């Protein structure tokens, strides 16, 4: 028998709901409020995503097998109140060789179909975008110094939107950024147009590197899990690009910190006007590959051989950290989890289920 409280609880649809962020959000919403109806929508295309299904079921999350590229799949879900778009081809290298159509179809067409589904329901849309919308040449053109374990920016006045605090939302967007970054930026613009034309409540979070237990890492996405897994299973690694010294830097954000922010954003109706927030760990939670290696050694007690490839891929950036000034001002939010904590939690997750995870995290094992 359905109670009145359950009947009126908002319905949340999460596309990419069997992926790392989507599944983490779905479970976190149910843990926060068991009355909450949460639907995880996913095509299970990525290897390992099926591992999320038992966890989703245990937490009472409804799973719908479908593809955001097919509008009829979304239409079959029925009404919902909030759509969180976590579906994406997340690799910055997508389209670097061969046709860009797969990444454009998934990211751009998928977002358009999600916007239409939300418009039909009058639902809010939270779009998880990416720091990759910022042009590569602009980021790599910022003056820097090489320190013992990392590169550090030394920005000048001629680099608007770049300070010691990182990249702000004011950073200019002119210039190439990869097909992945372009598809996400175009998706942002489409959603903002839907907000303007139809009054669709839209909010955009441009995320940096997300990490935490449950992420299936690879070279071009999920680097923290990749690094921990290779140490745990004692497999070699490589520092690629920028001289091969491992000094390139990213800020790292725990998925729970991102969820905590989203909960705060859901309580603020006034910010769902198409605005954009840069979301990441910030300078305080940044780490170079060289520093990440040391954290992995401490967590696992193991060392692995690490090769060097000096040549830099055209789509790679030397440093990226998120300037959190805007989101901290509007929502008084700051990330809480350090890279050391994140590495430790990922190590514990791998160790608890190593036989099942090894062929997925180390596919050539």
């Amino acid at each position: 028998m359905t109670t009145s409280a359950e009947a009126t609880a908002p319905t949340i649809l999460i596309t990419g709901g069997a992926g790392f962020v989507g599944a983490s959000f779905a479970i976190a919403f149910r843990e926060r409020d068991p009355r909450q109806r949460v639907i995880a929508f996913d095509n299970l295309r990525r290897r390992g995503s099926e591992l999320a299904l038992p966890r989703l079921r245990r937490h009472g999350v409804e799973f719908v097998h479908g593809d955001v590229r097919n509008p009829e799949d979304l239409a079959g879900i029925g009404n919902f109140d909030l759509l969180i778009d976590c579906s994406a081809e997340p690799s910055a290298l997508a389209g670097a060789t061969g046709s860009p159509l797969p990444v454009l179809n998934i990211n751009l067409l998928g977002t358009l179909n999600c916007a239409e589904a939300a418009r039909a329901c009058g639902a809010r849309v939270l779009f998880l975008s990416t720091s990759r919308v910022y042009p590569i040449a602009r980021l790599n053109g910022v003056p820097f110094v090489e320190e013992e374990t990392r590169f550090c920016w030394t920005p000048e006045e001629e680099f608007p939107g770049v300070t010691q605090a990182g990249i702000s939302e004011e950073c200019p967007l002119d210039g190439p950024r990869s097909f992945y970054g372009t598809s996400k930026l175009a998706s942002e613009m489409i959603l903002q147009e839907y907000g303007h034309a139809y009054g669709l409540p839209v909010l955009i979070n441009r995320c940096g590197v997300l990490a935490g237990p449950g992420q299936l890492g690879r070279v071009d996405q999920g680097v923290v899990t990749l690094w921990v897994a290779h140490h745990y299973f004692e497999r070699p690694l490589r520092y690629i690009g920028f001289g091969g010294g491992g000094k390139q830097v990213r800020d790292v954000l725990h998925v729970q910190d991102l969820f905590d922010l989203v909960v705060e954003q859901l309580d603020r109706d006034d910010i769902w006007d198409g605005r954009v927030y840069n979301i990441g760990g910030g300078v305080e939670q940044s780490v170079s590959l060289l520093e990440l290696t040391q954290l992995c050694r401490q967590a696992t007690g193991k060392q692995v051989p690490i090769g060097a490839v000096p040549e830099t891929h055209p789509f790679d950036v030397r440093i990226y950290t998120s300037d959190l000034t805007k989101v901290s001002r509007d929502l008084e939010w700051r990330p809480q989890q350090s890279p050391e904590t994140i590495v430790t939690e990922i190590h514990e997750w791998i160790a608890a289920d190593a036989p099942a995870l090894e062929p997925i995290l180390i596919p050539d094992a």
Side-chain angles (χ1 to χ4, degrees):
M1 180 175 175
T2 302
T3 68
S4 59
E6 290 172 331
T8 58
T11 297
I12 300 175
L13 171 63
I14 303 177
T15 60
F20 166 56
V21 176
S24 297
F25 274 21
I27 291 169
F29 274 119
R30 288 284 301 172
E31 289 180 335
R32 183 170 177 266
D33 184 357
R35 302 171 305 158
Q36 190 77 68
R37 184 187 180 205
V38 183
I39 303 169
F41 179 92
D42 202 293
N43 64 5
L44 301 180
R45 181 182 65 92
R46 179 166 178 169
R47 184 185 183 192
S49 57
E50 69 280 358
L51 295 179
L53 299 186
R55 294 172 52 228
L56 294 172
R57 284 195 295 268
R58 284 198 303 272
H59 287 85
V61 177
E62 300 174 37
F63 176 74
V64 174
H65 188 274
D67 196 309
V68 292
R69 293 170 291 186
N70 300 327
E72 61 272 16
D73 290 355
L74 289 162
I77 292 172
N79 290 330
F80 52 88
D81 302 287
L82 168 67
L83 187 152
I84 302 179
D85 188 3
C86 301
S87 59
E89 166 50 68
S91 172
L93 301 182
T97 58
S99 172
L101 288 180
V103 64
L104 296 178
N105 280 332
I106 294 171
N107 293 354
L108 190 51
L109 179 60
T111 297
L112 179 58
N113 289 334
C114 287
E116 272 293 283
R119 182 177 72 87
C121 296
R124 290 194 282 183
V125 178
L126 174 63
F127 182 61
L128 294 192
S129 189
T130 173
S131 60
R132 285 289 188 167
V133 301
Y134 295 108
I136 295 167
R138 180 170 293 276
L139 297 182
N140 285 340
V142 179
F144 69 96
V145 295
E146 182 176 349
E147 298 188 346
E148 183 178 357
T149 61
R150 61 163 61 194
F151 297 121
C152 294
W153 275 330
T154 56
E156 301 169 352
E157 291 184 4
E158 64 188 68
F159 288 90
V162 186
T163 68
Q164 293 291 355
I167 299 293
S168 79
E169 297 82 356
E170 304 305 314
C171 183
L173 294 169
D174 53 303
R177 59 187 52 78
S178 78
F179 284 110
Y180 165 62
T182 297
S183 69
K184 299 296 275 188
L185 180 59
S187 293
E188 291 183 12
M189 298 171 69
I190 286 173
L191 288 170
Q192 288 168 333
E193 286 297 325
Y194 266 78
H196 176 73
Y198 307 115
L200 192 71
V202 171
L203 187 62
I204 297 163
N205 287 335
R206 288 178 181 161
C207 299
V209 173
L210 300 174
Q215 187 177 37
L216 305 178
R218 58 189 189 188
V219 172
D220 51 351
Q221 197 266 333
V223 65
V224 181
T225 294
L226 175 78
W227 232 249
V228 178
H230 276 244
H231 277 80
Y232 182 88
F233 295 112
E234 299 183 86
R235 293 298 179 116
L237 287 162
R238 295 186 299 170
Y239 296 136
I240 301 175
F242 303 103
K247 295 186 179 183
Q248 55 266 55
V249 172
R250 299 290 186 273
D251 60 342
V252 182
L253 181 65
H254 195 293
V255 68
Q256 182 62 48
D257 279 330
L258 177 59
F259 178 77
D260 291 343
L261 170 64
V262 169
V263 169
E264 292 188 37
Q265 290 174 326
L266 290 173
D267 288 336
R268 288 283 303 274
D269 291 341
D270 59 309
I271 65 174
W272 292 74
D273 54 6
R275 75 180 61 185
V276 173
Y277 290 112
N278 281 1
I279 306 299
V283 174
E284 295 85 355
Q285 314 297 356
S286 66
V287 65
S288 70
L289 285 178
L290 196 59
E291 294 162 352
L292 180 59
T293 297
Q294 185 58 37
L295 293 179
C296 291
R297 289 173 176 173
Q298 292 171 359
T300 65
K302 301 174 182 179
Q303 295 192 33
V304 300
I306 302 181
V309 179
E311 296 77 19
T312 302
H313 192 280
F315 288 174
D316 204 359
V317 295
R318 180 180 292 104
I319 304 169
Y320 186 88
T321 55
S322 307
D323 184 344
L324 305 180
T325 300
K326 182 178 178 181
V327 67
S328 297
R329 180 194 66 219
D330 288 1
L331 294 154
E332 298 183 356
W333 171 87
R334 299 291 296 189
Q336 302 300 310
Q337 306 296 324
S338 68
E340 182 176 9
T341 298
I342 294 170
V343 166
T344 298
E345 289 187 5
I346 293 173
H347 171 247
E348 291 171 350
W349 166 66
I350 294 173
D353 199 15
L357 290 174
E358 183 174 11
I360 297 171
L361 298 177
I362 314 290
D364 60 343

